[in-house]
């Protein structure tokens, strides 16, 4: 009714319009016009009278509605308000006055502003829903508690609101402790106060809006004494800070600290802290626990503190715990806050303990405020572990480089011996064994390098049957003697395209995890098969499009993974293993490699039965790139007519000796230098002609690329062959690439070295034979 009246024209406007019509009726117009204007004026006056009557009735009805609403709300024991259509409070009952003070004339969002983060949005949504149904209810959970808002529409200009505190039932003790025994406020990260208890408001006054209005020494530190701006002067009080959600935190004022001018509101005894949501301990001089509250017992996993000492529930800070307590009793504030680890059932907990003295004389004791910092210490441990992994990776790269130098010398000299022994020789079989084991060691070192670097993908066409066959020896070593590793391949298995080294790393990670899940005994199955999807497959958060795929499954019979942990296993640093037994990097690395390859990885697990990891790769139709097998060396007949001058720069004497002999046997003239500086000194002789540089990359002093760039300024037509035990992308220095240079990784064979040099010289545009003849008179540079 009020709405219809509000939409009607004003009676005064209609009355004026009627008066104008009557004036026109007495003007010198034709009689018919005068009669028409007269009738129109009378009708408008009648309409104005009707509008005025309706608005009057509506106003009386609205007033009556507000009176009824006020009567209803006045007798309600809960917090209640009556508002108009704009949300302005026209009446608040006694419970509302007790909680929020004088609110008439203020808007409801202003009143709820300290309790709700977005009161305007919440209230507008409730009103919009109540317009459709006549009433609406909304439960709201905040750091201050659990509340229920209710609205009843008594016409558009009259709304009834109730605020029910649902926290008073199940947690009466805690709410009472918050409101009465211990003053508490809630504040944002910027220091804006959003809620304040009655006890706190009595201490500092109702005008305080920010933490700066309340405390003189910010920022606040939980368990420390801070200076409070009270209405009756400054008070030194210990505070407890509890972090909340949405960057908010609660601040409690705690009793019992031995400082002057403690307000009467904080004279509550120790028993009052039982329900306080701050872990507290009462500690005697000798370390005995005199008391604890529920939060502290829950944090430390103890049922009672009676008969316990602090050393029984927490490990000391690296020195006798009684010495630390004595420092706190002596007032040495720089030594009274420590990060301690729990004992017994709370061994996985890390606790920050802040001590303050309380009492006086013979009753002098300590109050300990505890903060659970397990998550912080876990993040710190993960960071330290990642630093260790980085250091191990660098160490592995250095070890692999040194091993590659040794293997180059071993396999190279073995090649030299094989040149002088044919298959009928009694030593031929032994030499072959040496060569094959050197190649096997080189393969292991290559896998070690894969762990130590962030390599770019070098995809090649792969037959997984061959890859797993080559990897079986290493996997058997990894799983141990008590674990059986079985392979089951599809006879018609298709090929995939992936980085072989990276794929081997993924498989090793999965097999090692399977071994650890079975605690050293059991069976691990690795299965491969083809898969054709006729329609898209949705699984977890992945969408696998239709097509042909190759699936690799790693199946174990271990303890399995809990359902709540399964969605997190691919997150970095997440691990189901105990502290110190896993880095949490293996599965995240495997996930990244598989995704970068264009594949998918899924996990299925049943607790107590085992886990299956499935790798899904797109099928690749191109033929397999056959990699030359180095287990059986091919010693090709040497072309003794090869010509050219080689400057060999290598700091490892055994490698330099083998390479020099191999190149001389091929027919090249070889000059040797053990460092870059010596090579540049030799090149200072302008009469010395060099056709190709063969140089190590990493050397003491100048590295390979640096000295070669200097040398090419004077000898721009010289060819370059780089050799190194590190991967090719490990020595990128940001400088422009050296033109026409090739890279030969260590360990290299006699054939690989000589053929690489031969191919480089074949591309030379200047004949080398004439220049090489002048070397017969040149001084020897061999060292």
């Amino acid at each position: 009714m009020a709405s219809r009246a509000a939409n009607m024209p004003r009676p005064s406007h209609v009355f004026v319009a009627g008066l104008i019509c009557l004036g026109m009726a007495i003007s010198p117009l034709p009689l018919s016009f005068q009669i028409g204007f007269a009738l129109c004026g009378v009708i408008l006056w009648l309409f104005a009278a009707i509008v005025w009557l309706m608005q009057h009735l509506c106003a009386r009805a609205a007033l009556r509605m507000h009176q009824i609403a006020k009567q209803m709300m006045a007798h309600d024991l809960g917090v209640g308000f009556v508002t108009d259509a704009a949300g302005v409070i026209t009446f608040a009952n006694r419970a509302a006055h007790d909680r929020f003070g004088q609110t008439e004339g203020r808007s409801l969002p202003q009143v709820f502003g300290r309790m709700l983060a977005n009161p305007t949005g919440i209230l507008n949504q409730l009103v919009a829903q109540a317009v459709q149904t006549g009433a609406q209810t909304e439960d709201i959970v905040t750091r201050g508690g659990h509340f229920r808002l209710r609205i009843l529409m008594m016409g558009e200009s009259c709304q009834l609101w109730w605020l029910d505190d649902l926290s008073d039932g199940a947690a009466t003790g805690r709410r009472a402790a918050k409101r009465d025994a211990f003053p508490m406020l809630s504040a944002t990260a910027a220091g804006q106060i959003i809620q304040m208890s009655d006890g706190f408001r009595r201490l500092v006054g109702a005008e305080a809006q920010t933490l700066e209005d309340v405390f003189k020494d910010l920022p606040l530190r939980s368990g420390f004494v801070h200076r409070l701006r009270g209405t009756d002067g400054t008070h030194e009080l210990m505070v407890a800070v509890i972090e909340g959600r949405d960057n908010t935190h609660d601040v409690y004022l705690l009793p019992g600290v031995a400082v002057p001018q403690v307000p009467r509101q904080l004279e509550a005894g120790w028993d009052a802290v039982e329900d306080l949501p701050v872990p507290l301990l009462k500690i005697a001089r000798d370390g005995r626990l005199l008391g604890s509250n529920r939060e502290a017992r829950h944090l430390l996993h103890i049922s009672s503190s009676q008969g316990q000492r602090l050393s029984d529930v927490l490990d000391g800070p690296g020195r006798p715990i009684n010495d630390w307590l004595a420092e706190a009793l002596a007032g040495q504030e720089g030594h009274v806050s420590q990060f301690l680890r729990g004992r017994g059932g709370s061994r996985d907990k890390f606790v920050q303990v802040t001590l303050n003295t309380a009492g006086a004389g013979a009753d002098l004791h300590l109050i300990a405020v505890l903060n659970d910092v397990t998550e912080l210490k876990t993040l710190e441990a993960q960071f330290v572990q990642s630093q260790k992994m980085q250091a191990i990776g660098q160490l592995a790269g250095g070890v692999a480089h040194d091993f590659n130098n040794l293997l180059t010398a071993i396999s190279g000299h073995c090649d030299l011996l094989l040149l002088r022994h044919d298959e009928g020789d009694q030593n031929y079989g032994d030499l072959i064994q040496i060569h094959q084991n050197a190649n096997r060691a080189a393969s292991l070192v290559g896998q070690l390098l894969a762990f130590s670097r962030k390599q770019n993908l070098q995809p090649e066409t792969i037959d997984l049957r061959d890859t797993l066959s080559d990897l079986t020896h290493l996997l058997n070593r990894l799983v141990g003697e008590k674990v059986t590793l079985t392979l089951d391949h599809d006879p018609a298995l298709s090929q995939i395209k992936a980085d072989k080294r990276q794929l081997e790393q993924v498989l090793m990670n999965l097999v090692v995890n399977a071994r650890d899940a079975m605690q050293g005994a059991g069976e691990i199955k690795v299965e491969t098969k083809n898969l054709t999807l006729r329609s898209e497959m949705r699984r977890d958060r992945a969408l696998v499009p239709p097509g042909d795929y190759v699936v690799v499954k790693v199946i174990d019979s271990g303890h399995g993974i809990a359902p709540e942990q399964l969605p997190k296993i691919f997150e970095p640093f997440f691990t189901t293993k105990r502290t110190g037994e896993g880095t949490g990097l293996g599965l995240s690395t495997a996930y990244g490699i598989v995704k970068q390859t264009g594949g998918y990885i899924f996990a299925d697990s049943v607790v107590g039965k085992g886990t299956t990891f499935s790798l899904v790769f797109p099928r690749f139709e191109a033929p397999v790139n056959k990699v030359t097998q180095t287990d059986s060396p091919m010693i090709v007949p040497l072309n003794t007519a090869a010509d050219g001058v080689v400057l060999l720069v290598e700091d490892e004497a055994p490698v330099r000796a083998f390479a020099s002999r191999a190149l001389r046997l091929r027919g090249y003239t070889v000059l040797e230098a053990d460092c870059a500086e010596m090579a540049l000194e030799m090149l200072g002789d302008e009469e010395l002609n060099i056709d190709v540089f063969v140089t190590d990359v990493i050397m003491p002093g100048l590295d390979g690329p640096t000295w070669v760039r200097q040398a090419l300024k004077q000898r721009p037509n010289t060819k370059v062959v780089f050799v190194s035990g590190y991967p090719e992308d490990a020595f990128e220095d940001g400088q422009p690439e050296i033109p026409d240079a090739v890279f030969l990784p260590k360990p290299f064979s006699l054939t690989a070295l000589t053929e690489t040099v031969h191919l480089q010289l074949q591309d030379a545009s200047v004949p080398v034979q004439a220049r090489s003849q002048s070397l017969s008179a040149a001084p020897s540079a061999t060292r």
Side-chain angles (χ1 to χ4, degrees):
M1 185 174 180
S3 177
R4 290 194 299 271
N7 293 328
M8 289 182 179
R10 294 184 180 181
S12 59
H13 293 171
V14 179
F15 181 81
V16 171
L19 186 61
I20 293 173
C21 289
L22 290 176
M24 296 296 292
I26 61 176
S27 63
L29 292 172
L31 182 61
S32 59
F33 284 97
Q34 291 178 346
I35 296 173
F37 277 115
L39 290 174
C40 184
V42 172
I43 292 172
L44 288 175
W45 276 11
L46 291 174
F47 182 70
I50 293 172
V51 170
W52 177 83
L53 180 61
M54 291 184 64
Q55 289 184 348
H56 178 69
L57 293 175
C58 288
R60 291 189 60 184
L63 180 62
R64 178 62 178 165
M65 193 73 70
H66 273 279
Q67 291 174 347
I68 296 173
K70 289 179 182 180
Q71 292 176 357
M72 292 173 54
M73 197 61 72
H75 295 87
D76 198 303
L77 298 179
V79 176
F81 303 92
V82 180
T83 70
D84 59 14
V88 177
I89 298 173
T90 59
F91 178 78
N93 64 9
R94 182 173 181 179
H97 278 284
D98 292 341
R99 177 156 191 164
F100 296 100
Q102 185 66 31
T103 59
E104 280 83 352
R106 299 172 61 191
S107 68
L108 204 60
Q110 290 177 336
V111 174
F112 289 162
R114 291 191 175 185
M115 184 181 69
L116 304 177
N118 182 23
T120 302
I122 294 175
L123 297 178
N124 287 343
Q125 182 180 7
L126 275 174
V127 171
Q129 295 171 349
V131 168
Q132 305 296 327
T133 61
Q136 189 62 34
T137 301
E138 180 76 18
D139 285 358
I140 302 170
V141 179
T142 69
R143 287 290 300 169
H146 184 184
F147 304 97
R148 176 173 294 162
L149 269 175
R150 293 181 291 143
I151 178 176
L152 176 64
M153 303 293 291
M154 295 184 68
E156 292 186 3
S157 62
C158 183
Q159 302 170 2
L160 272 65
W161 293 86
W162 287 271
L163 176 67
D164 303 323
D165 191 347
L166 303 183
S167 305
D168 288 336
T172 302
R174 179 171 295 185
R175 297 274 82 79
K178 285 184 178 181
R179 289 197 300 266
D180 300 330
F182 303 103
M184 182 272 291
L185 65 80
S186 297
T188 64
Q192 187 72 28
I193 297 175
I194 57 178
Q195 183 183 1
M196 187 183 297
S197 68
D198 293 339
F200 216 124
R201 189 175 290 107
R202 287 193 295 269
L203 280 173
V204 300
E207 294 79 13
Q209 301 293 326
T210 66
L211 290 179
E212 290 185 354
D213 298 335
V214 177
F215 295 98
K216 291 186 175 182
D217 45 355
L218 297 176
L220 299 179
R221 293 186 296 170
S222 186
F224 285 80
V225 175
H226 287 269
R227 289 180 293 166
L228 179 78
R229 304 177 191 267
T231 55
D232 56 348
T234 300
H235 302 285
E236 294 184 349
L237 299 170
M238 184 169 65
V239 303
V241 181
I242 305 298
E243 296 298 328
R245 297 177 180 175
D246 301 326
N247 293 323
T248 64
H249 53 273
D250 296 340
V251 180
Y252 292 86
L253 302 181
L254 302 183
V257 183
V259 293
Q261 299 181 359
V262 176
R264 178 170 297 180
Q265 289 94 324
L266 295 181
E267 294 179 355
W270 177 260
D271 293 338
V273 307
E274 174 65 18
D275 295 306
L276 190 68
V278 181
L280 295 174
L281 294 176
K282 186 176 182 180
I283 307 171
R285 293 170 176 261
D286 58 0
R288 290 180 296 110
L289 297 183
L290 302 177
S292 63
N293 66 350
R294 182 183 294 109
E295 290 289 336
R297 293 192 297 272
H298 176 73
L299 176 62
L300 299 175
H301 292 100
I302 57 176
S303 57
S304 173
S305 58
Q306 296 297 323
Q308 301 245 26
R309 305 179 66 86
L310 185 62
S311 57
D312 296 333
V313 294
L314 292 171
D315 281 332
R319 62 185 189 277
I321 202 164
N322 283 342
D323 293 349
W324 177 51
L325 297 178
E327 291 174 358
L329 288 168
Q332 301 177 16
E333 295 187 4
H335 303 279
V336 295
S337 184
Q338 295 285 351
F339 290 90
L340 306 182
R341 186 170 186 170
R343 306 190 67 178
S346 60
R347 187 154 190 84
D348 293 334
K349 291 282 187 180
F350 286 92
V351 181
Q352 182 186 20
V353 182
T354 306
L355 299 178
N356 281 278
T357 56
D363 189 39
L364 185 64
H365 58 276
L366 292 167
I367 299 295
V369 180
L370 312 182
N371 287 298
D372 188 353
V373 292
T374 305
E375 183 177 357
L376 175 64
K377 296 298 287 185
T378 300
L379 290 174
E380 179 184 338
Q382 290 173 350
F383 175 75
V384 172
Q385 185 65 35
S386 68
Q387 294 290 90
K388 289 181 180 178
M389 292 297 293
Q390 182 179 2
I392 290 173
Q394 293 174 347
L395 176 63
V399 170
H401 172 263
D402 292 338
F403 265 102
N404 278 333
N405 280 326
L406 295 175
L407 292 172
T408 300
I410 292 172
S411 62
H413 284 91
C414 184
D415 287 345
L416 293 172
L417 287 173
L418 285 168
L419 291 174
R420 302 197 297 270
H421 296 78
D422 55 24
E423 295 184 6
D425 194 289
Q426 61 178 355
N427 296 323
Y428 184 82
D430 296 333
L431 293 174
I432 291 296
Q433 284 294 320
I434 294 172
H435 199 285
Q436 289 177 343
N437 283 281
N439 287 332
R440 179 176 294 176
S443 177
L444 293 175
V445 172
Q447 292 173 7
L448 188 62
L449 274 174
F451 280 106
S452 67
R453 60 182 173 134
K454 293 181 179 179
Q455 58 184 359
N456 295 323
L457 288 182
Q458 300 175 355
E460 57 182 296
T461 309
I462 295 173
D463 189 324
L464 283 169
R465 293 169 295 186
D466 296 337
T467 301
L468 287 169
S469 178
D470 295 340
L471 202 59
T472 300
H473 178 77
L474 177 60
L475 294 178
N476 280 322
R477 293 291 185 184
L478 289 174
V479 300
E481 297 179 355
K482 296 183 179 180
V483 176
T484 302
L485 178 67
T486 60
L487 304 179
D488 184 9
H489 297 302
D490 186 336
L493 191 68
S494 300
Q495 304 161 7
I496 65 171
K497 191 171 186 178
D499 186 301
K500 184 177 180 181
R501 294 297 187 195
Q502 296 273 29
L503 183 59
E504 288 175 346
Q505 179 178 343
V506 171
L507 294 173
M508 285 190 290
N509 284 345
L510 295 180
V511 170
V512 169
N513 283 344
R515 176 203 65 187
D516 295 340
M518 296 187 300
Q519 299 179 349
E523 181 182 8
I524 301 174
K525 296 180 180 179
V526 180
E527 299 178 354
T528 61
K529 65 177 182 179
N530 293 324
L531 173 66
T532 299
L533 293 179
R534 303 299 181 188
S535 59
E536 65 181 25
M537 178 177 70
R538 292 183 178 272
R539 178 163 179 188
D540 301 333
R541 289 174 291 180
L543 174 62
V544 184
D548 296 323
Y549 296 90
V550 175
V551 180
V552 185
K553 291 188 176 182
V554 180
I555 307 168
D556 68 64
S557 55
H559 51 69
I561 304 172
E564 64 273 11
Q565 294 177 335
L566 199 58
K568 303 177 182 179
I569 59 175
F570 296 116
E571 297 178 2
F573 298 112
F574 180 83
T575 178
T576 59
K577 300 176 183 178
R578 293 180 295 182
T579 303
E581 293 185 357
T583 64
L585 296 174
L587 287 178
S588 62
T589 300
Y591 179 86
I593 292 173
V594 172
K595 294 296 288 183
Q596 191 177 5
T597 304
Y600 305 85
I601 181 169
F602 304 107
D604 299 283
S605 186
V606 178
V607 176
K609 293 186 178 181
T611 303
T612 299
F613 283 92
S614 301
L615 310 178
V616 182
F617 298 100
R619 188 171 68 181
F620 191 70
E621 298 295 344
V624 179
N625 293 334
K626 296 296 183 181
V627 179
T628 302
Q629 298 295 326
T630 57
D631 290 343
S632 299
M634 288 182 57
I635 307 301
V636 298
L638 293 178
N639 180 10
T640 57
D643 292 314
V645 181
V646 179
L647 176 56
L648 176 64
V649 185
E650 171 62 61
D651 62 311
E652 289 287 338
V655 177
R656 190 171 66 251
F658 153 65
S660 177
R661 287 186 60 189
L663 292 170
R664 287 194 176 99
L665 286 172
R666 184 65 185 260
Y668 297 108
T669 301
V670 182
L671 302 179
E672 298 181 34
D674 62 358
C675 63
E677 290 78 6
M678 182 179 180
L680 291 174
E681 182 181 349
M682 293 171 57
L683 293 175
D685 184 358
E686 296 181 356
E687 296 182 357
L688 185 63
N689 294 314
I690 304 296
D691 298 297
V692 60
F693 299 143
V694 179
T695 176
D696 194 6
V697 175
I698 307 298
M699 296 182 293
L702 294 178
D703 59 25
T706 301
W707 84 261
V708 167
R709 287 191 182 96
Q710 296 181 21
L712 289 178
K713 293 178 181 179
Q714 303 299 326
R715 302 170 182 265
N717 295 322
T718 308
K719 298 298 182 178
V720 181
V721 176
F722 287 116
V723 297
S724 179
Y726 288 108
E728 183 178 3
D729 57 359
F731 57 87
E732 293 181 354
D733 54 5
Q735 298 294 324
E737 293 186 1
I738 297 174
D740 299 326
V742 297
F743 179 79
L744 180 64
K746 295 178 181 178
F748 50 78
S749 65
L750 181 150
T751 303
L753 174 63
T754 56
E755 287 300 315
T756 301
V757 173
H758 177 66
L759 291 175
Q760 278 291 81
L761 290 178
Q762 273 189 334
D763 295 334
S765 58
V766 180
V768 299
Q769 185 170 357
R771 292 184 295 177
S772 63
Q773 293 174 354
S774 64
L775 287 170
S776 58
S780 174
T782 304
R783 290 182 57 181

